[in-house]
Amino acid sequence: MFALTFLGTSASIPSAERNHPGLLIEAGGHRILVDCGEGTQRQLLRSGAGFRRLDRMLLTHGHFDHVLGIPGLFSTLRLRRSDQVMTIHASPGTLDVVVRMLAGLWGEGRAPVPLELAPLTTGLVLDAGNFTIGCFPVRHRETDSFGFCFQTHTRRHLRPDRLVALGVPHGPVRKDLAEGRPVILDDGRTVDPEDVLGPPERQKKLVVIGDTETTEGLAERVRDADLLVIEATFLDRDSAIARDYGHLTAGEAAALAATSGVKRLVLTHISGRYGDEEILAEATRTFPNSRLANDFDQIAI
């Protein structure tokens, strides 16, 4: 299961209700921050999520509204005497922005917390055992931007009725069966995993896309996602302005979801120039299962 907490949902200019972009994703004991806009550390506190086990960050791109919260967060982690290594996954260009930002505050090659920088290339970012994270390129102005796909592994659960019927005791033998290995019981009988495993559980898929100027090339990336999180900075009536600034309209985001088999659509990077109801109305005309993200919203897949 993926649990999302929206820490910031504004476009470039924050509002009293919306902070700069930030999203916390929790899965399989991991807590991963996607983007870290200014004020993210306070949003972590206000949401109740806090700083525990926060050791990995995925950056969509290097524009300041998506990264300026990093120095403040790192300062707080240092004051809390955190010795966890923070791994930042981002494009080489985005990592260069981060490195120069940290160097200006703490000196070249220095950071207030143990830090690992991991340049992104299209493909696998992390295999966490029960889920993976992949990344893919996204077009947004002059940046080398990336989107992220979180996907669970296909799993088959043990059937309690079959375990009881075959007399399989609790303990290591059940773990072996769950992991696909046959076992020999104390009475000499061999039990095969196929005798006790249920049907494959459908994979869960979450796709997170930051700023993007087009949906071209994204359909296969988001195909059949249980949840798509993507920007909707403008409305269709301002599509020319959207192109100039390298952003999507709510209608374009909804059309992507509708034609790609997406189950749920969550729109973020919300501009204060429009009312929330107007943005949502444009999206739901094309894709009814749309919603706007608000700061501190929590969604589970």
Side-chain angles (χ1 to χ4, degrees):
M1 183 180 78
F2 300 116
L4 288 70
T5 302
F6 288 86
L7 302 172
T9 59
S10 79
S12 299
I13 301 175
S15 69
E17 295 78 27
R18 295 185 184 276
N19 199 66
H20 273 148
L23 173 63
L24 179 67
I25 299 175
E26 301 178 76
H30 294 264
R31 305 176 79 237
I32 300 164
L33 195 61
V34 181
D35 286 339
C36 188
E38 185 180 357
T40 292
Q41 63 169 326
R42 189 163 184 266
Q43 298 294 91
L44 283 164
L45 292 172
R46 292 186 64 197
S47 69
F51 306 113
R52 67 190 187 284
R53 294 185 292 106
L54 188 65
D55 61 359
R56 195 175 301 274
M57 192 181 299
L58 309 174
L59 300 180
T60 60
H61 65 293
H63 282 164
F64 285 160
D65 55 321
H66 292 255
V67 301
L68 276 182
I70 293 174
L73 176 61
F74 281 11
S75 293
T76 294
L77 293 177
R78 177 179 63 85
L79 291 171
R80 291 170 59 90
R81 300 181 182 274
S82 173
D83 59 359
Q84 282 189 310
V85 175
M86 174 65 76
T87 301
I88 299 181
H89 301 268
S91 68
T94 301
L95 289 179
D96 183 59
V97 171
V98 173
V99 167
R100 287 187 287 117
M101 183 168 55
L102 297 179
L105 293 167
W106 287 283
E108 187 173 351
R110 300 181 63 190
V113 296
L115 182 62
E116 179 180 340
L117 303 177
L120 290 174
T121 57
T122 302
L124 183 68
V125 175
L126 174 70
D127 188 339
N130 51 0
F131 71 96
T132 61
I133 305 173
C135 70
F136 52 89
V138 172
R139 286 166 49 190
H140 175 53
R141 299 176 70 180
E142 76 286 356
T143 66
D144 47 349
S145 298
F146 281 89
F148 299 98
C149 178
F150 295 72
Q151 198 155 6
T152 60
H153 289 297
T154 300
R155 297 183 60 190
R156 298 176 67 187
H157 296 282
L158 294 171
R159 293 177 52 190
D161 59 328
R162 293 296 298 156
L163 294 170
V164 172
L166 293 172
V168 179
H170 290 279
V173 292
R174 293 195 177 190
K175 183 176 185 293
D176 287 339
L177 288 167
E179 294 175 352
R181 295 186 292 271
V183 299
I184 300 176
L185 303 183
D186 289 344
D187 59 10
R189 288 182 297 124
T190 297
V191 178
D192 190 84
E194 290 299 322
D195 297 331
V196 295
L197 288 173
E201 185 182 73
R202 194 180 73 82
Q203 288 180 301
K204 301 294 185 182
K205 181 177 179 179
L206 162 67
V207 180
V208 179
I209 297 175
D211 297 2
T212 178
E213 65 193 44
T214 179
T215 61
E216 183 181 344
L218 296 181
E220 289 307 311
R221 301 296 189 179
V222 308
R223 180 78 60 197
D224 298 326
D226 294 278
L227 182 65
L228 169 61
V229 179
I230 193 169
E231 69 134 302
T233 311
F234 290 90
L235 295 181
D236 283 344
R237 68 171 183 259
D238 293 323
S239 59
I241 303 175
R243 294 293 79 76
D244 289 342
Y245 284 92
H247 288 289
L248 287 189
T249 69
E252 289 171 323
L256 173 65
T259 57
S260 304
V262 169
K263 309 298 186 299
R264 286 190 287 170
L265 173 66
V266 177
L267 302 174
T268 186
H269 209 262
I270 304 303
S271 171
R273 72 179 65 201
Y274 310 112
D276 289 1
E277 299 81 5
E278 192 175 12
I279 302 170
L280 186 59
E282 178 167 293
T284 54
R285 278 197 296 270
T286 300
F287 190 74
N289 201 8
S290 303
R291 64 176 285 184
L292 265 62
N294 293 301
D295 286 17
F296 310 119
D297 278 356
Q298 295 182 322
I299 299 176
I301 305 174

